[in-house]
Amino acid sequence: MTTWEPPVPALSVRQVLALERVLAGEPEVVAGAARLDRPVRWVHVAEAADVGVMLSGGEMVLTTGVLLAGDEHKQTEYVRSLHRAEASAVVLGLGRAFPSPPEAMRRAAERCQLPLVVLHRPFPFAQLTEEVQSRLVRRKFAAVSLSETVRTELTALITGGAPLQRLLDEIARHSGCPVVLTNLAHRVLGTAGERSAVDDVLRDWERIARQAGRSEGDGWIRAELGGRGEPWGRLVLCGYRGDTETGRLLADRAAEALVLHRMLGGADCSWEGQSALSLLTDLVGGAVPARHLLPRARAAGLPVNRRTFVPLVVRGHRAAPLDRTLRLLGLPGIAGELSATVTAVLLSLARDQDDEALTAHFAARLRSEPADGPVVVAAAAARASFDDVPAGLREARHVADAVADDAAALDLPPVVRLRDVHLRGLVRLLRDDPQVQSFAERELSGLLRDPGEDLLPVLRTYLATGRNKSRTAQLHHVSRPALYRRLEAIQIRLGVDLDDFEQAASLHIALLAHDAQQR
């Protein structure tokens, strides 16, 4: 795999004039000095007065002006025609036709802001043409070579099953600048590049993106993503330092690869979901301070100014249905799957909205939808500052995990909070303590040594329901006599009396610790 090297910019008028061969002609810029950074696409030697009709833009025109001498009107019109044809500059060799810079041409060029350069010493135009053309051809070849390298490497990543972020990282490596993937509403779906540079781009992304959408100046190069004539996203190279033509080639190859990646991903390939998951994972992990993630959250479409944030963790629903529910209820937020059974949700509410009522409404809607098992919606206290969101997400995850195993048996409120988990929450926090682990093994050893009779789940349900025999029998789909026999077997195995409150409480704590350790 090749390593990235800064792309060589296209030759500008200024660079052409700095070439050793050109310096031998003693060039002098007499007009349009502010536009010397225009790119030179080609060099054209022409004496025809109507040369403008032969140009396609970006040419540096070399002339002696022999057909323009003595006619100021022709001189003025000559410059105007080059301006209309979008020539990059005109170079006039002084000599028999013009011993000094013609004032009419100079004035016209200054008005048009077309660089007008005169050569004070005789100079063979063929040498300049040969020098510039060879350099331009080399740059063109380098651009095509880079384009094919990018295509090959990205295709290999796709066929190898690489995730979206890996492709974006590779595109950023080749372009040497921040890369941003968005949908048509400018919502950021993915980024790559040096972290500080990406953050600078994202701080005011919506304004920047709309400005960049009007032109490709200053290295902002865009490529549309879509299929069957329908665009659905954009790739933006932010501040590309090479020439625009090379940048377009690179962006186009990258866009083709991203479209292919999405097509091969099928219906399960949601870039929006991956973007939300990446942000939520970084928030939960805490390795990156929340304030550093604020630009990403804002660019991903999450309102962050003067908001109340509600961290949630949901068990029993995948992220895609949760996203749909958020949209149906008109709740601003993002959702991402932390695991196959756990989805984090971050609501962003206006300060005057009732966060508890809206959270309860969201939970009620989730519980009314089809699910494979019991749905648990765990919430942390609302946060007024984005800096406090990571701690809130971790609290919600702790609450959800604390009730996960007994969700069906417990009489849980629609939204479970820290105050609802009581003892099981404390035990989960202490699960890694060796003394707690030893206690759990000692209390349950009679059942753990021989789990074949499936008595442990019965004990768990019996204790979680407050020793309610009818409810336990119902949940395990057995008759009451059958349940009595199993409870008797448990008492014999453990050497306890389940009717004794203290002994039952000790077993309950041991089971909570055992389950927390298993997870």
Side-chain angles (χ1 to χ4, degrees):
M1 187 174 292
T2 58
T3 56
W4 181 83
E5 295 180 1
V8 181
L11 282 175
S12 65
V13 175
R14 189 188 307 278
Q15 289 172 315
V16 171
L17 298 180
L19 295 175
E20 187 175 350
R21 290 186 178 183
V22 180
L23 290 174
E26 297 183 7
E28 178 189 0
V29 180
V30 298
R35 306 300 297 276
L36 293 182
D37 290 320
R38 281 180 169 181
V40 176
R41 189 181 61 82
W42 207 244
V43 176
H44 192 67
V45 180
E47 298 295 348
D50 59 348
V51 65
V53 300
M54 308 174 193
L55 306 180
S56 57
E59 295 89 352
M60 174 180 278
V61 177
L62 313 180
T63 183
T64 62
V66 66
L67 299 181
L68 303 175
D71 190 331
E72 291 191 355
H73 175 72
K74 279 187 177 182
Q75 295 167 22
T76 300
E77 184 54 34
Y78 179 80
V79 171
R80 288 175 178 169
S81 69
L82 293 179
H83 172 64
R84 288 193 295 270
E86 298 183 349
S88 60
V90 57
V91 178
L92 174 65
L94 300 181
R96 284 178 297 178
F98 293 103
S100 62
E103 186 60 23
M105 290 184 68
R106 191 198 67 76
R107 288 196 304 268
E110 195 63 53
R111 284 194 297 270
C112 296
Q113 281 297 291
L114 174 71
L116 171 60
V117 182
V118 296
L119 300 175
H120 289 279
R121 292 177 61 86
F123 182 82
F125 284 168
Q127 290 186 12
L128 174 57
T129 303
E130 178 185 7
E131 176 82 10
V132 175
Q133 311 299 49
S134 64
R135 289 173 179 263
L136 291 174
V137 168
R138 286 200 298 271
R139 282 164 170 74
K140 181 70 173 178
F141 177 78
V144 173
S145 177
L146 174 63
S147 167
E148 290 307 308
T149 298
V150 171
R151 186 205 300 268
T152 301
E153 293 185 0
L154 293 181
T155 301
L157 288 174
I158 293 170
T159 55
L164 171 64
Q165 187 60 51
R166 182 70 184 85
L167 268 68
L168 294 177
D169 289 340
E170 192 69 9
I171 296 167
R173 185 176 69 83
H174 280 290
S175 64
C177 66
V179 171
V180 178
L181 176 66
T182 78
N183 61 15
L184 295 181
H186 305 293
R187 177 177 174 181
V188 174
L189 307 179
T191 63
E194 185 181 347
R195 189 74 265 161
S196 60
V198 171
D199 287 345
D200 286 342
V201 168
L202 295 185
R203 279 194 181 90
D204 195 11
W205 171 251
E206 187 169 347
R207 180 185 62 80
I208 292 175
R210 294 186 187 281
Q211 286 181 347
R214 293 195 290 267
S215 68
E216 289 192 338
D218 299 324
W220 287 75
I221 298 177
R222 307 175 316 281
E224 298 290 325
L225 285 74
R228 300 179 181 176
E230 290 292 331
W232 38 257
R234 293 187 184 93
L235 177 71
V236 186
L237 308 185
C238 309
Y240 181 73
R241 290 177 287 161
D243 66 280
T244 302
E245 184 177 354
T246 302
R248 286 194 188 118
L249 277 173
L250 195 157
D252 287 344
R253 295 296 84 78
E256 291 171 3
L258 292 173
V259 170
L260 178 61
H261 181 274
R262 183 162 176 138
M263 289 173 57
L264 293 178
D268 294 332
C269 181
S270 167
W271 288 353
E272 289 82 355
Q274 292 180 41
S275 172
L277 174 60
S278 174
L279 175 60
L280 288 166
T281 300
D282 286 345
L283 284 169
V284 172
V288 181
R291 61 181 178 277
H292 293 169
L293 298 173
L294 198 57
R296 283 174 57 190
R298 184 185 293 111
L302 187 73
V304 295
N305 295 329
R306 298 183 59 78
R307 308 292 288 186
T308 295
F309 302 100
V310 182
L312 305 172
V313 167
V314 179
R315 282 184 171 273
H317 267 299
R318 306 297 297 268
L322 291 181
D323 253 341
R324 287 195 294 270
T325 302
L326 289 174
R327 290 194 296 270
L328 285 172
L329 299 179
L331 292 175
I334 55 175
E337 292 177 11
L338 302 180
S339 70
T341 58
V342 178
T343 300
V345 180
L346 181 60
L347 301 182
S348 175
L349 307 176
R351 293 279 175 87
D352 59 352
Q353 290 181 294
D354 187 334
D355 60 272
E356 292 203 3
L358 289 173
T359 303
H361 184 43
F362 175 64
R365 182 61 179 258
L366 291 182
R367 288 170 173 269
S368 69
E369 295 175 354
D372 295 333
V375 176
V376 175
V377 180
R383 264 57 179 176
S385 169
F386 194 76
D387 286 343
D388 297 330
V389 167
L393 286 169
R394 289 191 289 271
E395 178 185 315
R397 178 71 184 267
H398 165 67
V399 172
D401 288 348
V403 299
D405 286 331
D406 299 321
L410 296 173
D411 184 18
L412 297 174
V415 180
V416 188
R417 301 182 184 274
L418 192 60
R419 61 177 178 264
D420 300 315
V421 297
H422 304 297
L423 178 62
R424 65 182 60 246
L426 174 63
V427 170
R428 191 176 188 283
L429 288 175
L430 299 174
R431 64 180 175 176
D432 294 327
D433 188 297
Q435 294 188 34
V436 173
Q437 295 171 1
S438 176
F439 169 76
E441 289 292 320
R442 184 172 62 253
E443 290 289 299
L444 301 173
S445 60
L447 297 182
L448 296 177
R449 283 197 305 267
D450 183 15
E453 294 184 39
D454 206 26
L455 298 177
L456 200 64
V458 173
L459 176 63
R460 181 183 294 111
T461 304
Y462 179 64
L463 296 174
T465 57
R467 296 184 292 175
N468 185 320
K469 294 182 176 65
S470 298
R471 178 66 174 152
T472 301
Q474 180 184 14
L475 289 172
H476 283 272
H477 308 290
V478 297
S479 64
R480 286 178 65 96
L483 175 65
Y484 294 154
R485 287 194 294 272
R486 294 186 186 186
L487 292 177
E488 183 65 26
I490 290 171
Q491 293 184 109
I492 293 172
R493 289 279 194 90
L494 298 181
V496 298
D497 179 4
L498 291 177
D499 291 329
D500 183 276
F501 176 78
E502 185 174 339
Q503 294 183 54
S506 181
L507 286 176
H508 186 45
I509 294 172
L511 261 176
L512 292 176
H514 170 75
D515 292 342
Q517 291 157 17
Q518 294 303 306
R519 288 198 297 273

